[in-house]
Amino acid sequence: MKTMKRRMFLSGTAAAGGALAIGATGHGTAGAAGPRKPPADPAARPVLVGPDDRRYADLRRGTNQRWVGSPEQIRLVTTTDEVLRAVQEAVDSGRRLAVRSGGHCYEDFTTHEDVAVVLDLSGMTGVSYDAGRRAFAVLPGTPLGRVYESLYKGWGVYLPAGNCPSVAAGGHIQGGGYGSMSRRDGLAVDHLYGIEAVVVGADGKARVVTATREPDDPHRELWWAHTGGGGGNFGVVTRYWLRSPDATGTEPADQLPAPPREVWLSEVAWSWQDLNEARFTRLMWNHGDWHARNSAPDSPYTALFSQLKPFHKSAGAVVLDSLVDAGAPGAERLLRSYVDAVSAGVGVAPQVRQYRRMPWLHSTQWPGFTGPDPTVRFKGKSVYAKRTYTDEQIAAAYRHLTRDDFHNPGALLMIASYGGAVNRIPAHATAVPQRDSVLKYQVVSIWNDAADDAANIGWVRECYRDMFASTGGVPVPNDTNDGCFVNYADTDLGDPRWNTSGVPWHHLYYKGGYRRLQKAKAAWDPTGFFRHAQSIRPA
């Protein structure tokens, strides 16, 4: 297998912020949709790209180069009215439609061979303030980097969302949306006030509908379904409205949290040359135990976020990238204490690669946390963890990270800090039921050449299976594990070759909330027009 450039991965580049780039939403009589562009000229058409168009080669794929579609048409839309017409035409013609916002889907949900029309929302960008709703309106194709920049430069606020600036709001928000400040301020969906969406009713008619979290909103269940129900299930979200639940007054700057003014960034690494199984085991145990002890909603360590990245030994090191709000009391002390706790008793001190203070907005582009470039191939499998790793998990991880029959510096475990403010929200309040986890991670591999697909996919599957061998090869919710993250889509969860637990894929994502999501599906997409390999089935 070809060796990949080491520096790319040791800087922390990996699929950290990946999210499904698929649409969403429900049905019913159209509600007031707030500020919208004037209706388009009926004669006007969106940009249509077919197989003979020179742009087709680019637009038939997303970020994950494993997946290349062959749709009849890629339709680039810019307004809700264009989305409405595109959906209706697909319904009327009986053609399968898939919705793409930023193209970061882990699986083939938008490139499957049955997809005839790709509805591309990447041209629907923008952030504005809706005074009538006291909420910020974000269009689905807006990359997170632009969301952060627009909110911060315009009003001094932000959304605690993902770390990959090229991921679009569209699929990211409705799948849960977490990132480096979620321990302090919660998930992106914890600040979701409402949505505008195009849905298809039982009569085959496409409609525009709005849904908010207001208790008396007749469409409230549609809002709830988009607080973690995942993309591609209910319709096409054409607008998100963001306002924190405890926001007061009418000033825009009071409707969302303010980010840190500055942050401390740290990167340390342990050379694989200095690590044996005992030392690796101690490092992993330290890391998991620290998070189990310091992830309560009222912990001072909610100001800190970190990613531990045990790369395959061919990369040379295990890397720990960390960020702390520089305005938190004793911020530098918190950061030093954390690194010392992870290092305690390992027997070898880590090398300090970076340690610097930086303004928050600039830090959102830091490669320690951002995702992969759009030229690579990847496979990832996710885990929510309620406490530190088991002996079985650590031993299996070590075995696969040190395999001599596999060589890829882009293969790793990417383990993110979780909990804190995330766990302040009751499990039933949103469609994200994992509200007592302290870590969130994935077994992932990133590579370049199609010839290496089998080796890399095999490594990811085998490492994950062995880490969770005692629960059927998947992280079945129990005292230690809490299932999987829907935005890191993994069709293996429904494959009996890789999931022998008897627990269905939807329970790993949604737990007991799946039945409620099925009812929303039956109400807002009763014909199942919006579907993919892991879409919610109507009740």
Side-chain angles (χ1 to χ4, degrees), residues 63 76 134 153 193 204 211 235 293 318 323 339 352 357 366 539:
T63 297
L76 290 89
R134 292 194 301 117
K153 289 182 176 180
Y193 174 75
R293 292 184 291 105
V318 174
L323 172 153
V339 175
V352 178
R357 187 166 179 157
W366 187 46

Side-chain angles (χ1 to χ4, degrees), residues 300-423:
Y301 283 100
T302 58
L304 184 145
F305 173 84
S306 180
Q307 284 183 354
L308 178 65
K309 288 171 276 198
F311 288 90
H312 185 268
K313 69 177 184 179
S314 57
V318 174
V319 178
L320 182 68
D321 287 324
S322 306
L323 172 153
V324 67
D325 176 357
E332 286 190 90
R333 175 183 54 80
L334 295 175
L335 181 56
R336 287 194 301 268
S337 173
Y338 169 66
V339 175
D340 289 346
V342 176
S343 303
V346 173
V348 56
Q351 173 195 0
V352 178
R353 293 181 171 180
Q354 292 188 52
Y355 182 68
R356 52 194 170 128
R357 187 166 179 157
M358 180 171 291
W360 170 79
L361 187 60
H362 282 75
S363 76
T364 62
Q365 303 287 327
W366 187 46
F369 294 147
T370 57
D373 71 60
T375 70
V376 298
R377 310 166 78 82
F378 62 87
K379 170 68 177 177
K381 299 171 75 68
S382 67
V383 183
Y384 284 99
K386 295 180 180 179
R387 66 174 187 87
T388 191
Y389 323 97
T390 65
D391 292 341
E392 172 189 66
Q393 291 164 2
I394 295 174
Y398 179 81
R399 187 166 63 251
H400 286 281
L401 290 167
T402 59
R403 279 171 54 175
D404 291 322
D405 63 339
F406 175 79
H407 302 273
N408 181 9
L412 71 153
L413 273 61
M414 188 180 317
I415 309 169
S417 302
Y418 205 64
V422 173
N423 293 349

Side-chain angles (χ1 to χ4, degrees), residues 500-517:
T500 60
S501 69
V503 176
W505 61 266
H506 52 77
H507 187 77
L508 296 171
Y509 288 143
Y510 305 120
K511 298 170 60 173
Y514 184 63
R515 177 64 177 170
R516 187 173 174 184
L517 289 168

Side-chain angles (χ1 to χ4, degrees), residues 116-252:
V117 179
V118 172
L119 189 60
D120 189 307
L121 307 182
S122 61
M124 296 185 70
T125 62
V127 176
S128 59
Y129 185 68
D130 183 339
R133 288 189 169 84
R134 292 194 301 117
F136 293 94
V138 176
L139 300 186
T142 313
L144 294 181
R146 182 171 170 186
V147 172
Y148 299 146
E149 183 178 9
S150 298
L151 287 174
Y152 190 57
K153 289 182 176 180
W155 299 276
V157 300
Y158 89 125
L159 178 70
N163 295 320
C164 183
S166 63
V167 167
H172 177 77
I173 292 177
Q174 61 192 280
Y178 82 103
S180 58
M181 297 309 299
S182 289
R183 282 167 58 88
R184 194 191 80 161
D185 291 322
L187 303 178
V189 291
D190 299 341
H191 303 267
L192 180 63
Y193 174 75
I195 60 165
E196 171 189 85
V198 173
V199 301
V200 177
D203 58 0
K205 300 299 182 184
R207 302 171 176 84
V208 180
V209 64
T210 63
T212 72
R213 64 171 179 245
E214 296 294 344
D216 60 350
D217 189 330
H219 302 151
R220 192 176 190 276
E221 281 299 287
L222 181 60
W223 162 83
W224 182 86
H226 285 84
T227 62
N233 280 312
F234 308 101
V236 186
V237 172
T238 52
R239 194 181 317 268
Y240 294 96
W241 284 284
L242 306 171
R243 175 174 22 113
S244 300
D246 58 352
T248 58
T250 58
E251 289 296 319

